[in-house]
Amino acid sequence: MRGLHGVLLILLVRKLGARESSAYASLFIVGTSLMAVCVADVARDDLTLRRRGVTVTATVVKEWRDPAQGRAARHYHYELVRPDGTKVPGPATRPPNDRHDVGRTLTVVVDPRGELRPQTPGQADATGDLLGSGAFAPAALSPSAG
């Protein structure tokens, strides 16, 4: 949906007779604004998980990988259970770069509502995401200053 808004804005700018330089500036502004929003969205989930999440010990009981679809990245997914055998709430965990073997014990931050994906304590840190989002916002404003 965000991409649709950007495309519509670009088409309107081009159709209303904007010069090429202003069209490129508009494209840059839209692109950096979208990046700021996307990164802030990830940060929001991480902050929510840190605020209401509960740290638990869980065991990996199932591992699977996304099906191959062209050049798209294939992520590993892991189903987790607590020591008492109950499933950890939420979608399967998907670490960005770690591989976990079935039977491995992990410490994860879990959303008690089951809305967010469980993450290791290091993954659920939103500091880098917030800094990235904050860096995109001024960049989006810089072409319009001139």
Side-chain angles (χ1 to χ4, degrees):
M1 192 65 165
R2 292 181 199 125
L4 176 64
H5 291 119
V7 169
L8 289 175
L9 179 61
I10 292 166
L11 288 175
L12 284 173
V13 168
R14 296 292 281 169
K15 292 294 181 188
L16 294 175
R19 285 185 241 119
E20 271 193 43
S21 61
S22 62
Y24 291 132
S26 297
L27 179 61
F28 179 79
I29 291 168
V30 169
T32 53
S33 298
L34 288 174
M35 290 300 295
V37 169
C38 291
V39 173
D41 190 43
V42 171
R44 183 201 61 204
D45 287 349
D46 289 347
L47 288 172
T48 302
L49 189 60
R50 294 293 283 185
R51 184 177 52 85
R52 73 176 180 217
V54 178
T55 303
V56 299
T57 301
T59 303
V60 177
V61 293
K62 184 178 178 185
E63 170 189 10
W64 69 94
R65 196 169 179 192
D66 290 334
Q69 294 181 352
R71 295 181 135 192
R74 296 179 65 197
H75 299 284
Y76 284 92
H77 301 266
Y78 302 95
E79 186 175 317
L80 305 173
V81 296
R82 297 175 189 238
D84 64 4
T86 59
K87 183 182 179 300
V88 171
T93 188
R94 188 178 73 197
N97 54 9
D98 293 336
R99 291 255 350 250
H100 306 303
D101 295 324
V102 172
R104 181 175 176 186
T105 301
L106 304 171
T107 300
V108 291
V109 181
V110 176
D111 177 16
R113 297 182 191 173
E115 297 170 359
L116 302 172
R117 191 179 302 278
Q119 297 183 15
T120 62
Q123 285 178 280
D125 184 16
T127 306
D129 298 328
L130 291 173
L131 290 173
S133 180
F136 280 117
L141 298 176
S142 64
S144 61

